Amino acid sequence: MSRLLSRRHLAAAAAARRSAPLACVSRWLHTPSFATVSPQEVSGSSPAEVHNFVQGSWTASTNWNWIVDPLNGEKFIKVAEVQGTEIKPFVESLSKCPKHGLHNPLKAPERYLMYGDISAKAAHMLGQPEVSDFFAKLIQRVSPKSYQQALAEVQVSQKFLENFCGDQVRFLARSFAVPGNHLGQRSNGYRWPYGPVAIITPFNFPLEIPLLQVMGALYMGNKPVLKVDSKVSVVMEQMLRLLHECGLPAEDMDFINSDGITMNKLLVEANPKMTLFTGSSRVAEKLAADLNGQIKLEDAGFDWKILGPDVQEVDYIAWVCDQDAYACSGQKCSAQSVLFMHKNWSSSGLLEKMKKLSERRKLEDLTIGPVLTVTTEAMTEHMNNLLKIPGSKVLFGGEPLENHSIPKIYGAIKPTAVFVPLEEILKSGNFELVTKEIFGPFQVVTEYSEDQLELVLEACERMNAHLTAAVVSNDPLFLQEVLGRSVNGTTYAGIRARTTGAPQNHWFGPAGDPRGAGIGTPEAIKLVWSCHREIIYDIGPVPKNWALPSAT
Ligand SMILES: N[C@@H](CCC=O)C(=O)O
């Protein structure tokens, strides 16, 4: 089936190349060898197809789910979504993997080296300009963001793969030994896989999140089934083809497209030993209950930034605020949702500069664009609710984007900032509303005076998701105070602090929740994708003078 399908694909691709006009031919010439789509060619008249991969083969399904182009509403990608009645091969595939995994420190250790080699090849391939360009453009088609933002995602993924070349995968599974109490006894601590696992990832980082998580799972010896939001799964489908070309064994992981209900059914039936979920808190809580807590989460964040009393580098900080709140149209789980500004900044011109920067953003280059999970009406309604709070006002934005063909199901709004007084934010009737995460280009701004830092810290304490944060100050005592009394998992501190743009070398993940997952670093991989196993060797000899003790 696999060969058949991929041959069929290649034939179709070749036919497309042959019949294409000259401009298209040159685009196809630049399409990488593993690819079955061309980012420039995908359209209503030439739709892309996304398949599933299970038990070593590419498969279709009885049902195609059409994805619409977020920029014009045209049906442009059809995804073979597995139905509830079709999950058997996926259940069987996962159950083929034992709990002790495909490899572990005492079984098939050569596979750690194999994954070092696969990573080296994949890093090299992804580093080729035509390949990174291919992925950046494909990301742009399904999760509209500027070319630079899309490319950054590819570069983070490429560097991550470089980090785990050579011996670096086996070093992830480094064990330790502690001397025992008597001759022949010692304890060894090992990083052990979970075996069959599942990964569910969202639309906003179509490559970075699924790739980093799936590779981490594989490195530690697990067999994952991966489900990416169907709106963007074409990107990871193409990446999987690249990985196969780089030597990823076909049986090591499965790739499924389905709706949430079918995925839930699969999880309940296949019973993976660990599920990693990245996405909304609502779904996260449901999964945690359905899967009896066998889950790790990287859920939403109402991420905050505090500007300290020392006003400096206003232009730079305005630019970072603009990037943090509005790059990718605010659709990063790390996006700045609230800005606490010390009163010293009021006369610095910061807010005017932020307004000017937000006005540079335009749909043509996707520096602002469609919001995939919140409609324009919902964002406007949220803003109007905030405006009912005494003392609140629109600082800038607040209007729908104009002259576009973004379909109604998606949102389209100008970068928006709403001011709400700090005392009002803290009132119990308002707090939930003000700290509701809007996954779009939307932030709340407030101000605090010297004696109100307590209130700011109280607000941060009362929030219930603690992903990223920024403390913008070079005052060491201020930093110490704020950092010592907060919990966010990825916190930037200092005058250049930001909330977004964590590369592969910064742990990225929430803190303050025992289910919190991380992504990117060796620590994140070890924590999420392996558990501790201790083997206590006690091989003797039994002392010559040993005598039977009395009963205890
Ligand atoms: N690197 C991205 C987050 C990726 C999510 O897991 C950011 O910093 O916004």
Side-chain angles (χ1 to χ4, degrees), residues 98-161:
K99 286 179 200 166
H100 60 257
L102 299 175
H103 60 268
N104 65 49
L106 302 183
K107 172 187 161 181
E110 64 283 356
R111 284 175 47 94
Y112 292 110
L113 304 190
M114 176 188 78
Y115 271 102
D117 287 347
I118 295 169
S119 300
K121 287 187 192 129
H124 176 75
M125 205 185 263
L126 197 52
Q128 301 302 305
E130 66 275 17
V131 179
S132 26
D133 182 68
F134 167 84
F135 277 108
K137 288 189 173 136
L138 193 57
I139 290 169
Q140 280 194 296
R141 291 302 306 273
V142 290
S143 182
K145 47 178 102 174
S146 69
Y147 185 77
Q148 252 176 320
Q149 288 289 325
L151 186 64
E153 194 180 330
V154 180
Q155 286 164 339
V156 164
S157 307
Q158 197 269 343
K159 278 276 164 237
F160 169 89
L161 290 167

Coordinates of all heavy atoms in Angstrom, one line a residue, residues 98-161:
P98 N 5.9 -2.9 23.3 CA 5.8 -3.2 24.8 C 6.0 -2.0 25.6 O 6.6 -1.0 25.2 CB 6.9 -4.3 25.0 CG 7.8 -4.0 23.9 CD 7.1 -3.5 22.7
K99 N 5.7 -2.1 26.9 CA 5.9 -1.0 27.8 C 7.4 -0.6 28.0 O 7.7 0.5 28.3 CB 5.4 -1.3 29.2 CG 3.9 -1.3 29.3 CD 3.5 -1.7 30.8 CE 2.1 -2.2 30.8 NZ 1.7 -2.9 32.0
H100 N 8.2 -1.6 27.7 CA 9.7 -1.3 27.9 C 10.2 -0.6 26.6 O 11.4 -0.4 26.6 CB 10.5 -2.5 28.3 CG 10.4 -3.6 27.3 ND1 9.6 -4.8 27.6 CD2 10.9 -3.8 26.2 CE1 9.7 -5.6 26.5 NE2 10.5 -5.0 25.7
G101 N 9.4 -0.4 25.7 CA 9.8 0.4 24.5 C 10.4 -0.3 23.4 O 10.7 -1.5 23.5
L102 N 10.8 0.4 22.3 CA 11.5 -0.1 21.2 C 13.0 -0.3 21.5 O 13.7 -1.1 21.0 CB 11.3 0.7 19.9 CG 9.8 0.9 19.5 CD1 9.7 1.9 18.3 CD2 9.2 -0.4 19.1
H103 N 13.4 0.6 22.3 CA 14.8 0.4 22.9 C 14.8 1.0 24.3 O 14.0 1.8 24.7 CB 15.9 1.0 22.0 CG 15.7 2.5 21.7 ND1 15.1 3.0 20.6 CD2 16.2 3.6 22.4 CE1 15.1 4.3 20.7 NE2 15.8 4.7 21.7
N104 N 15.8 0.6 25.0 CA 16.1 1.2 26.4 C 17.5 0.9 26.7 O 18.2 0.2 25.9 CB 15.0 0.6 27.4 CG 15.2 -0.9 27.6 OD1 16.3 -1.4 27.8 ND2 14.1 -1.6 27.5
P105 N 18.0 1.4 27.8 CA 19.5 1.2 28.0 C 19.9 -0.3 28.0 O 21.1 -0.6 27.8 CB 19.7 1.8 29.4 CG 18.6 2.9 29.5 CD 17.4 2.3 28.8
L106 N 19.0 -1.2 28.2 CA 19.4 -2.6 28.3 C 18.8 -3.4 27.1 O 18.9 -4.6 27.0 CB 18.9 -3.3 29.6 CG 19.4 -2.6 30.9 CD1 18.9 -3.4 32.1 CD2 20.9 -2.5 30.9
K107 N 18.2 -2.7 26.1 CA 17.7 -3.4 24.9 C 17.9 -2.6 23.7 O 17.6 -1.4 23.7 CB 16.2 -3.6 25.1 CG 15.4 -4.1 23.9 CD 13.9 -4.1 24.2 CE 13.2 -4.2 22.8 NZ 11.7 -4.2 23.0
A108 N 18.5 -3.2 22.7 CA 18.8 -2.5 21.4 C 19.4 -1.2 21.5 O 18.9 -0.2 20.9 CB 17.4 -2.4 20.6
P109 N 20.5 -1.0 22.3 CA 21.1 0.3 22.5 C 21.6 0.9 21.1 O 21.8 2.1 21.1 CB 22.2 0.1 23.4 CG 22.6 -1.4 23.3 CD 21.3 -2.1 23.0
E110 N 21.8 0.1 20.1 CA 22.3 0.6 18.9 C 21.3 1.6 18.2 O 21.6 2.4 17.4 CB 22.7 -0.5 17.9 CG 21.5 -1.4 17.4 CD 21.1 -2.5 18.5 OE1 21.7 -2.5 19.5 OE2 20.1 -3.2 18.2
R111 N 20.0 1.5 18.7 CA 19.0 2.4 18.1 C 19.2 3.8 18.6 O 18.8 4.8 17.9 CB 17.6 1.9 18.5 CG 17.2 0.7 17.6 CD 15.8 0.2 18.1 NE 14.8 1.2 18.3 CZ 14.0 1.6 17.4 NH1 13.9 1.0 16.2 NH2 13.1 2.6 17.7
Y112 N 19.9 4.0 19.8 CA 20.2 5.4 20.2 C 21.1 6.0 19.1 O 21.0 7.2 18.7 CB 20.9 5.4 21.5 CG 20.1 5.0 22.7 CD1 20.3 3.8 23.4 CD2 19.1 5.9 23.2 CE1 19.5 3.5 24.5 CE2 18.3 5.5 24.3 CZ 18.5 4.3 24.9 OH 17.7 4.0 26.0
L113 N 22.1 5.2 18.6 CA 23.0 5.7 17.6 C 22.3 5.9 16.3 O 22.6 6.9 15.6 CB 24.2 4.7 17.4 CG 24.9 4.3 18.7 CD1 26.2 3.5 18.3 CD2 25.3 5.6 19.4
M114 N 21.4 5.0 16.0 CA 20.6 5.1 14.7 C 19.9 6.5 14.7 O 19.9 7.2 13.7 CB 19.6 4.0 14.6 CG 18.7 4.1 13.4 SD 17.4 2.9 13.4 CE 16.3 3.5 14.6
Y115 N 19.3 6.8 15.9 CA 18.6 8.1 15.9 C 19.6 9.3 15.9 O 19.2 10.4 15.3 CB 17.7 8.2 17.2 CG 16.3 7.6 16.8 CD1 15.9 6.3 17.1 CD2 15.5 8.4 15.9 CE1 14.7 5.8 16.7 CE2 14.3 7.8 15.5 CZ 13.9 6.6 15.8 OH 12.7 6.0 15.4
G116 N 20.8 9.2 16.3 CA 21.8 10.2 16.1 C 22.0 10.4 14.7 O 22.1 11.6 14.2
D117 N 22.1 9.3 13.9 CA 22.4 9.4 12.5 C 21.2 10.0 11.7 O 21.3 10.8 10.8 CB 22.6 8.0 11.9 CG 24.0 7.4 12.3 OD1 24.8 8.2 12.8 OD2 24.2 6.2 12.1
I118 N 20.0 9.6 12.1 CA 18.8 10.1 11.5 C 18.7 11.6 11.7 O 18.4 12.4 10.8 CB 17.5 9.4 12.0 CG1 17.5 7.9 11.7 CG2 16.2 10.1 11.5 CD1 16.4 7.1 12.4
S119 N 19.0 12.0 12.9 CA 18.9 13.5 13.2 C 20.0 14.2 12.4 O 19.7 15.3 11.9 CB 19.2 13.7 14.7 OG 18.3 13.1 15.5
A120 N 21.2 13.6 12.2 CA 22.2 14.3 11.5 C 21.7 14.5 10.0 O 21.9 15.6 9.4 CB 23.5 13.5 11.5
K121 N 21.2 13.4 9.4 CA 20.7 13.5 8.0 C 19.6 14.5 7.9 O 19.6 15.3 7.0 CB 20.3 12.1 7.5 CG 21.5 11.2 7.3 CD 21.0 9.9 6.6 CE 22.2 8.9 6.7 NZ 21.8 7.6 7.2
A122 N 18.6 14.4 8.8 CA 17.5 15.3 8.7 C 17.9 16.8 8.9 O 17.4 17.7 8.3 CB 16.4 14.9 9.8
A123 N 18.8 17.0 9.9 CA 19.3 18.4 10.1 C 20.0 18.9 8.8 O 19.7 20.0 8.4 CB 20.3 18.4 11.3
H124 N 20.7 18.0 8.2 CA 21.4 18.5 7.0 C 20.4 18.8 5.9 O 20.5 19.8 5.2 CB 22.4 17.4 6.5 CG 23.0 17.7 5.2 ND1 24.1 18.6 5.1 CD2 22.8 17.3 4.0 CE1 24.4 18.8 3.9 NE2 23.7 18.0 3.1
M125 N 19.4 17.9 5.7 CA 18.4 18.1 4.7 C 17.6 19.4 4.9 O 17.4 20.2 4.0 CB 17.5 16.9 4.5 CG 17.0 16.8 3.2 SD 15.8 15.4 3.0 CE 16.8 14.1 2.4
L126 N 17.2 19.5 6.2 CA 16.3 20.7 6.5 C 17.1 22.0 6.4 O 16.6 23.1 6.2 CB 15.8 20.5 7.9 CG 14.6 21.4 8.4 CD1 13.4 21.2 7.4 CD2 14.1 21.0 9.8
G127 N 18.4 21.9 6.5 CA 19.3 23.1 6.4 C 19.5 23.5 5.0 O 20.1 24.6 4.7
Q128 N 19.2 22.7 4.0 CA 19.3 23.1 2.6 C 18.3 24.2 2.3 O 17.1 24.1 2.6 CB 19.0 21.9 1.6 CG 19.8 20.7 1.8 CD 21.3 21.0 1.7 OE1 21.7 21.5 0.7 NE2 22.1 20.7 2.7
P129 N 18.8 25.3 1.7 CA 17.9 26.5 1.5 C 16.6 26.1 0.8 O 15.6 26.7 1.2 CB 18.8 27.4 0.7 CG 20.2 27.0 0.9 CD 20.2 25.6 1.2
E130 N 16.6 25.2 -0.2 CA 15.4 25.0 -0.8 C 14.4 24.2 0.0 O 13.2 24.3 -0.1 CB 15.6 24.3 -2.2 CG 16.1 22.9 -2.2 CD 17.7 22.9 -2.2 OE1 18.3 23.9 -1.8 OE2 18.2 21.8 -2.5
V131 N 15.0 23.4 1.0 CA 14.1 22.6 1.9 C 13.5 23.5 3.0 O 12.3 23.5 3.3 CB 14.9 21.4 2.5 CG1 14.0 20.6 3.4 CG2 15.4 20.5 1.4
S132 N 14.4 24.4 3.6 CA 13.8 25.3 4.6 C 12.8 26.3 4.0 O 11.8 26.6 4.6 CB 14.9 26.0 5.4 OG 16.0 26.2 4.7
D133 N 13.1 26.7 2.7 CA 12.1 27.6 2.1 C 10.8 26.8 1.8 O 9.7 27.4 2.0 CB 12.8 28.0 0.7 CG 11.9 29.0 0.0 OD1 11.7 30.1 0.5 OD2 11.4 28.6 -1.1
F134 N 10.9 25.6 1.4 CA 9.7 24.7 1.1 C 8.9 24.7 2.4 O 7.6 25.0 2.4 CB 10.2 23.3 0.7 CG 9.1 22.3 0.7 CD1 8.2 22.2 -0.3 CD2 8.9 21.5 1.9 CE1 7.2 21.2 -0.3 CE2 7.9 20.5 1.9 CZ 7.0 20.4 0.8
F135 N 9.5 24.4 3.5 CA 8.7 24.3 4.8 C 8.1 25.6 5.2 O 7.0 25.7 5.7 CB 9.5 23.6 5.9 CG 9.4 22.1 5.7 CD1 10.5 21.4 5.3 CD2 8.3 21.4 6.0 CE1 10.5 20.0 5.2 CE2 8.2 20.0 5.9 CZ 9.3 19.3 5.5
A136 N 9.0 26.7 5.1 CA 8.5 28.0 5.6 C 7.3 28.4 4.7 O 6.3 28.9 5.3 CB 9.6 29.0 5.4
K137 N 7.3 28.2 3.4 CA 6.2 28.6 2.6 C 5.0 27.7 2.8 O 3.8 28.2 2.8 CB 6.6 28.5 1.1 CG 7.6 29.6 0.8 CD 7.8 29.8 -0.7 CE 8.6 31.0 -1.0 NZ 9.7 30.8 -1.9
L138 N 5.2 26.4 3.1 CA 4.1 25.5 3.4 C 3.4 25.9 4.7 O 2.2 25.9 4.8 CB 4.6 24.1 3.4 CG 3.5 23.0 3.4 CD1 2.6 23.1 2.1 CD2 4.1 21.6 3.4
I139 N 4.2 26.3 5.7 CA 3.7 26.7 7.0 C 2.8 28.0 6.7 O 1.7 28.1 7.2 CB 4.8 27.0 8.0 CG1 5.5 25.7 8.4 CG2 4.3 27.8 9.2 CD1 6.8 26.0 9.2
Q140 N 3.3 28.9 5.9 CA 2.6 30.1 5.7 C 1.2 29.9 5.0 O 0.3 30.6 5.3 CB 3.4 31.0 4.7 CG 4.5 31.8 5.4 CD 5.0 32.9 4.4 OE1 5.5 32.6 3.4 NE2 4.8 34.1 4.8
R141 N 1.1 28.8 4.2 CA -0.1 28.6 3.5 C -1.2 28.1 4.5 O -2.4 28.4 4.3 CB 0.0 27.5 2.5 CG 0.8 27.8 1.3 CD 0.3 29.0 0.5 NE -1.1 29.0 0.1 CZ -1.6 28.4 -1.0 NH1 -0.7 27.9 -1.9 NH2 -2.8 28.4 -1.3
V142 N -0.8 27.4 5.6 CA -1.9 26.8 6.4 C -2.0 27.5 7.8 O -3.0 27.5 8.4 CB -1.6 25.3 6.7 CG1 -1.9 24.5 5.4 CG2 -0.2 25.0 7.2
S143 N -0.9 28.2 8.2 CA -1.0 28.9 9.5 C -0.4 30.3 9.2 O 0.8 30.5 9.6 CB -0.2 28.1 10.6 OG -0.2 28.8 11.8
P144 N -1.1 31.1 8.6 CA -0.5 32.4 8.0 C 0.3 33.2 9.1 O -0.2 33.5 10.1 CB -1.7 33.1 7.5 CG -2.7 32.1 7.2 CD -2.6 31.1 8.3
K145 N 1.5 33.4 8.7 CA 2.4 34.3 9.5 C 3.4 34.8 8.6 O 3.6 34.3 7.4 CB 3.0 33.5 10.7 CG 3.6 32.1 10.3 CD 4.2 31.4 11.5 CE 3.4 30.3 12.1 NZ 4.1 29.6 13.2
S146 N 4.2 35.8 9.0 CA 5.2 36.3 8.0 C 6.2 35.3 7.7 O 6.4 34.3 8.4 CB 5.9 37.5 8.7 OG 6.7 37.0 9.8
Y147 N 6.9 35.5 6.5 CA 7.9 34.6 6.1 C 9.0 34.4 7.2 O 9.4 33.2 7.5 CB 8.6 35.0 4.8 CG 9.5 34.0 4.2 CD1 9.1 32.9 3.6 CD2 10.9 34.1 4.4 CE1 9.9 31.9 3.1 CE2 11.8 33.2 3.9 CZ 11.3 32.0 3.3 OH 12.2 31.1 2.8
Q148 N 9.4 35.5 7.8 CA 10.4 35.4 8.9 C 10.0 34.5 10.0 O 10.8 33.7 10.6 CB 10.8 36.7 9.4 CG 12.1 37.2 8.9 CD 12.4 38.6 9.3 OE1 11.5 39.4 9.3 NE2 13.6 38.9 9.7
Q149 N 8.7 34.7 10.4 CA 8.2 33.9 11.6 C 8.1 32.4 11.2 O 8.5 31.5 12.0 CB 6.8 34.4 12.0 CG 6.9 35.7 12.7 CD 7.5 35.6 14.1 OE1 7.3 34.7 14.8 NE2 8.2 36.7 14.5
A150 N 7.7 32.1 10.0 CA 7.6 30.8 9.5 C 9.0 30.1 9.4 O 9.2 29.0 9.8 CB 6.9 30.7 8.2
L151 N 9.9 30.9 8.9 CA 11.3 30.4 8.7 C 11.9 30.2 10.1 O 12.7 29.2 10.3 CB 12.1 31.4 7.9 CG 13.5 30.9 7.5 CD1 13.5 29.7 6.6 CD2 14.3 32.1 6.8
A152 N 11.6 31.0 11.0 CA 12.2 30.9 12.4 C 11.8 29.5 12.9 O 12.6 28.8 13.6 CB 11.7 32.0 13.3
E153 N 10.6 29.1 12.7 CA 10.1 27.8 13.1 C 10.9 26.7 12.5 O 11.3 25.7 13.2 CB 8.6 27.7 12.7 CG 7.9 26.6 13.4 CD 6.4 26.5 13.0 OE1 5.8 27.5 12.6 OE2 5.9 25.4 13.0
V154 N 11.2 26.8 11.2 CA 12.0 25.8 10.5 C 13.4 25.8 11.1 O 14.0 24.7 11.3 CB 12.1 26.1 9.0 CG1 12.9 25.0 8.3 CG2 10.7 26.1 8.4
Q155 N 14.0 27.0 11.4 CA 15.4 27.0 11.9 C 15.5 26.4 13.3 O 16.5 25.8 13.6 CB 15.8 28.5 11.8 CG 16.1 28.9 10.4 CD 16.3 30.4 10.2 OE1 15.8 31.2 11.1 NE2 16.9 30.9 9.2
V156 N 14.5 26.7 14.1 CA 14.5 26.1 15.5 C 14.5 24.6 15.3 O 15.2 23.9 16.0 CB 13.2 26.6 16.3 CG1 13.0 25.7 17.5 CG2 13.4 28.0 16.7
S157 N 13.6 24.1 14.4 CA 13.5 22.6 14.2 C 14.9 22.0 13.7 O 15.3 21.0 14.1 CB 12.4 22.3 13.2 OG 11.2 22.9 13.6
Q158 N 15.5 22.8 12.8 CA 16.8 22.3 12.2 C 17.9 22.3 13.3 O 18.6 21.3 13.4 CB 17.1 23.3 11.0 CG 18.2 22.7 10.1 CD 19.6 23.1 10.5 OE1 19.8 24.0 11.3 NE2 20.6 22.4 10.0
K159 N 18.0 23.3 14.1 CA 19.0 23.4 15.1 C 18.7 22.3 16.2 O 19.7 21.7 16.7 CB 18.9 24.7 15.9 CG 19.7 25.8 15.2 CD 21.2 25.8 15.5 CE 22.0 26.6 14.6 NZ 23.0 25.9 13.9
F160 N 17.5 22.0 16.5 CA 17.1 21.0 17.4 C 17.7 19.6 16.9 O 18.3 18.9 17.6 CB 15.6 20.9 17.6 CG 15.1 19.7 18.3 CD1 15.0 19.7 19.7 CD2 14.8 18.5 17.6 CE1 14.5 18.6 20.4 CE2 14.3 17.4 18.3 CZ 14.2 17.4 19.7
L161 N 17.5 19.4 15.6 CA 18.0 18.1 15.0 C 19.5 18.1 15.1 O 20.1 17.0 15.4 CB 17.5 18.0 13.6 CG 16.0 17.7 13.4 CD1 15.6 17.9 12.0 CD2 15.6 16.3 13.9

